[in-house]
């Protein structure tokens, strides 16, 4: 049990569940039934599947497991189990209609909040301590909301989502150093105390990271264009063997959603076609493209432990912070999160969100590919179910860190780990590059 598990944990959980639901409904209310049940891409579920899956997971974990109640629709478990039916086959399932799904998720929520009312955050059971299971379910809904946002980005047709433009780059953005130095030495990676950290973030452990340089900001569209225009997609020497083979087979020439128009490039973004914003972090590149760009730039992707050290380690305090700027929750001066904007902010934005290393935008804007495979930390224990993380460990998945403009703050922190196949491009992913510090620099 965690010392100091308090009622505030449950108030935060309720707020996080309500924020997630507002977002889920905003992502589904804007489309008609046909659009909700259509498969906009073989890579994605119909939005109506995500909606009912969100409710089904909430029924499983909050109503049945945490509440000890009988549940509402155990008959739906198989239809909405992600491991039973692959995404491409989900449209053929006997799915709830959008109206039925909306009623279902509302009825589940009513019972889930009754369970939350009666919960004790000091309960020593790991599922309930600190309100873990409520935080887990809020994170689950927000993760699906981000996936649903990616489905919106894949769908053709008129814009249905709207949001204000992100802030302009601050005055000092143009003069930022290209890279920041992170001194060699040990730091604490992962966490054993964060109440809502998921199993793969645990336990905290000491890791020695040799000195390295990291890009101050994510690689921009403008920098990526130079790679394209330098013939980067036609030069096997920049690519790994598997990366080149995949690029050839898939016919990749530029990030997903980019299209040549005359002498320049444009991109499609949530139904709008617009010029490439050269000062924004590049989005919708797969791991192979990020890896090739880094080699072309004479650099490499950071390892996962390098990324986390740059994002959390505070040499002055001698400890790891929850977020790059400290332990306080994210807000709109520190990070572009929560679908507040429908695109990344320009590179160099959010100076108040900088890490002690001086790197900016480590949380928010774009998920960042790392060079690392998704593997368990020493002492890992699957909790509360093997299918959250454990079944994905191994060489097939690469780790992404930081969170995108489409990730909510409940599902983002310095320890949070995301993962995907190295070919994935529809996720809101970019990257930054790194290089070893020389012996002379380390001193
Ligand atoms: C952690 C984002 C890879 O979406 O596949 C959702 C999260 N797990 N439902 C995913 C998740 C179960 C997962 N990622
Ligand atoms: Fe899920």
């Amino acid at each position: 049990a965690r010392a100091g598990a308090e009622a505030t944990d449950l108030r935060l959980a309720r707020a996080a569940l309500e924020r997630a639901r507002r977002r889920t409904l905003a992502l589904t209310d804007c489309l008609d039934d046909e659009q909700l049940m259509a498969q906009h891409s073989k890579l994605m579920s119909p939005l109506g599947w995500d909606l009912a899956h969100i409710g089904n997971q909430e029924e499983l974990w909050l109503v049945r497991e945490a509440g000890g109640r009988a549940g509402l629709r155990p008959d739906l478990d198989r239809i909405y189990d992600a491991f039973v039916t692959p995404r491409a086959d989900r449209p053929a399932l006997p799915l709830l209609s959008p109206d039925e799904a909306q009623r279902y998720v509302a009825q589940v929520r009513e019972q889930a909040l009754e369970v939350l009312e009666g919960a004790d955050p000091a309960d020593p059971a790991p599922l309930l301590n600190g309100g873990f299971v409520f935080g887990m379910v809020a994170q689950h809904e927000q993760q699906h909301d981000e996936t649903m946002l990616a489905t919106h980005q894949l769908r053709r047709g008129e814009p249905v989502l709207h949001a204000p433009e992100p802030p302009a780059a601050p005055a000092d953005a143009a003069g930022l150093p290209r890279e920041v130095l992170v001194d060699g030495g040990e730091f604490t990676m992962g966490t054993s105390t964060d109440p809502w950290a998921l199993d793969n973030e645990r336990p905290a452990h000491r890791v020695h990271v040799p000195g390295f340089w990291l890009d101050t900001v994510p690689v921009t569209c403008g920098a990526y264009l130079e790679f394209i225009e330098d013939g980067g997609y036609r030069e096997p020497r920049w690519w790994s063997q598997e990366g080149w083979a995949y690029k050839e087979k898939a016919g990749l020439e530029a990030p997903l959603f980019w299209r040549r128009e005359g002498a320049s490039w444009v991109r499609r973004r949530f139904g709008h076609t617009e010029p490439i914003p050269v000062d924004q972090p590049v989005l919708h590149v797969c791991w192979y493209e990020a890896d090739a760009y880094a080699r072309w730039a004479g650099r490499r992707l950071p390892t996962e432990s390098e990324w986390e050290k740059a994002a959390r380690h505070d040499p002055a305090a001698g400890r790891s912070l929850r977020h790059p700027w400290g332990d306080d929750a994210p807000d709109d001066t520190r990070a572009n999160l929560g679908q507040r904007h429908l695109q990344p902010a320009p590179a160099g934005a959010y100076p108040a969100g900088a890490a002690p290393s001086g790197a900016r935008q480590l949380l928010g804007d774009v998920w960042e590919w790392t060079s690392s495979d998704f593997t368990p930390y020493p002492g890992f224990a699957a909790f509360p179910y093997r299918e959250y993380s454990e079944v994905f460990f191994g060489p097939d998945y690469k780790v992404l860190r930081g969170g995108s403009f489409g990730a909510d703050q409940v599902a983002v922190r310095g320890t949070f780990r995301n993962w995907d196949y190295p070919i994935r491009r529809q996720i809101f992913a970019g990257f930054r590059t790194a290089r070893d510090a020389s012996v002379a620099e380390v001193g």
Side-chain angles (χ1 to χ4, degrees):
R2 184 174 58 99
E6 290 162 15
T8 47
D9 294 333
L10 290 182
R11 277 204 297 279
L12 287 172
R14 176 190 277 271
L17 286 165
E18 286 170 352
R19 189 168 68 246
R21 188 51 49 86
R22 281 195 297 277
R23 185 174 175 202
T24 302
L25 295 178
L27 285 163
T28 47
D29 285 348
C30 54
L31 293 172
D32 62 24
D33 284 12
E34 192 199 329
Q35 286 280 315
L36 290 173
M37 301 316 285
Q39 187 161 46
H40 299 284
S41 156
K42 288 273 179 232
L43 299 170
M44 310 305 270
S45 314
L47 292 163
W49 184 92
D50 284 288
L51 176 61
H53 167 79
I54 285 167
N56 182 242
Q57 287 288 303
E58 185 166 321
E59 173 181 345
L60 262 164
W61 289 106
L62 300 190
V63 178
R64 291 188 231 160
E65 285 291 329
R69 299 181 178 201
L72 296 88
R73 294 290 304 271
D75 60 304
L76 297 178
D77 289 4
R78 269 188 71 77
I79 299 175
Y80 294 104
D81 184 330
F83 287 86
V84 171
T85 315
R87 284 179 176 178
D89 302 333
R90 290 176 192 166
L93 292 168
L95 302 175
L96 296 183
S97 72
D99 284 349
E100 289 167 336
Q102 250 142 26
R103 270 198 301 278
Y104 171 60
V105 301
Q107 285 163 353
V108 171
R109 177 55 57 90
E110 212 174 296
Q111 294 209 26
L113 291 180
E114 288 169 13
V115 173
L116 185 142
E117 277 306 308
D120 175 8
D123 191 316
L127 201 64
L128 298 168
N129 191 250
F132 171 81
V133 74
F134 301 98
M136 179 187 86
V137 167
Q139 290 179 70
H140 179 261
E141 182 159 351
Q142 286 287 0
Q143 288 176 330
H144 276 274
D145 289 344
E146 186 172 1
T147 298
M148 291 161 82
L149 189 64
T151 304
H152 271 271
Q153 167 62 13
L154 281 161
R155 106 172 232 287
R156 309 304 302 220
E158 291 302 300
V160 295
L161 298 175
H162 306 281
E165 300 275 308
D172 72 348
L176 290 174
R178 190 241 148 113
E179 54 184 358
V180 298
L181 178 65
V182 179
D183 286 328
E186 281 198 351
F187 87 111
T188 298
M189 187 169 182
T191 176
S192 300
T193 52
D194 200 308
W196 297 351
L198 302 172
D199 60 0
N200 63 54
E201 298 164 70
R202 302 167 184 268
H205 57 292
R206 299 286 288 171
V207 176
H208 182 268
V209 180
F212 68 100
W213 292 90
L214 184 69
D215 290 343
T216 308
V217 296
V219 171
T220 62
C221 292
Y224 199 82
L225 263 171
E226 288 176 36
F227 168 63
I228 298 174
E229 274 153 18
D230 194 43
Y233 281 77
R234 297 191 301 271
E235 278 280 1
R237 67 182 156 143
W238 307 134
W239 299 73
S240 66
Q241 227 180 344
E242 318 84 76
W244 180 260
Y246 178 69
K247 177 200 77 71
E248 289 286 290
K249 184 176 74 136
L252 308 188
E253 295 190 302
L256 186 59
F257 306 116
W258 286 31
R259 176 163 61 72
R260 236 186 242 287
E261 207 171 77
S264 48
W265 291 88
V266 295
R267 72 173 180 188
R268 185 163 59 80
R269 183 178 61 80
F270 298 111
H272 303 275
T273 298
E274 60 190 23
I276 300 300
V278 289
D279 63 345
Q280 273 185 22
V282 69
L283 257 185
H284 300 301
V285 288
C286 69
W287 186 89
Y288 292 130
E289 290 167 295
D291 174 64
Y293 173 96
R295 207 168 286 112
W296 169 79
R299 300 169 68 85
R300 58 177 175 77
L301 294 178
T303 65
E304 182 181 15
S305 37
E306 285 174 337
W307 191 98
E308 186 168 324
K309 186 172 181 187
R312 298 183 67 206
H313 178 60
D314 183 352
R319 68 179 181 95
S320 289
L321 310 175
R322 184 164 201 258
H323 299 305
W325 55 84
D327 297 331
D328 294 344
D331 64 33
D332 61 7
T333 70
R334 286 172 166 144
N336 180 7
L337 292 165
Q339 204 186 307
R340 215 167 48 234
H341 309 293
L342 285 166
Q343 57 190 314
Y350 305 107
S357 64
R360 292 191 186 176
Q361 293 170 296
L362 284 155
L363 295 199
D365 292 298
V366 296
W367 286 104
E368 298 182 19
W369 288 110
T370 72
S371 62
S372 302
D373 294 343
F374 185 46
T375 55
Y377 292 160
F380 168 84
F383 180 78
Y385 63 113
R386 285 189 68 241
E387 289 76 16
Y388 182 73
S389 313
E390 192 175 22
V391 300
F392 299 101
F393 288 140
D396 292 349
Y397 294 90
K398 298 293 183 192
V399 172
L400 298 122
R401 288 302 202 99
S404 77
F405 63 88
D408 183 82
Q409 58 165 282
V410 76
V412 163
R413 53 199 160 260
T415 56
F416 189 89
R417 309 173 76 194
N418 197 358
W419 64 93
D420 218 321
Y421 290 120
I423 64 169
R424 276 287 182 261
R425 305 211 303 160
Q426 81 272 22
I427 55 176
F428 302 110
F431 63 103
R432 67 181 85 205
T433 69
R435 66 181 172 101
D436 297 352
S438 72
V439 174
E441 287 156 347
V442 173

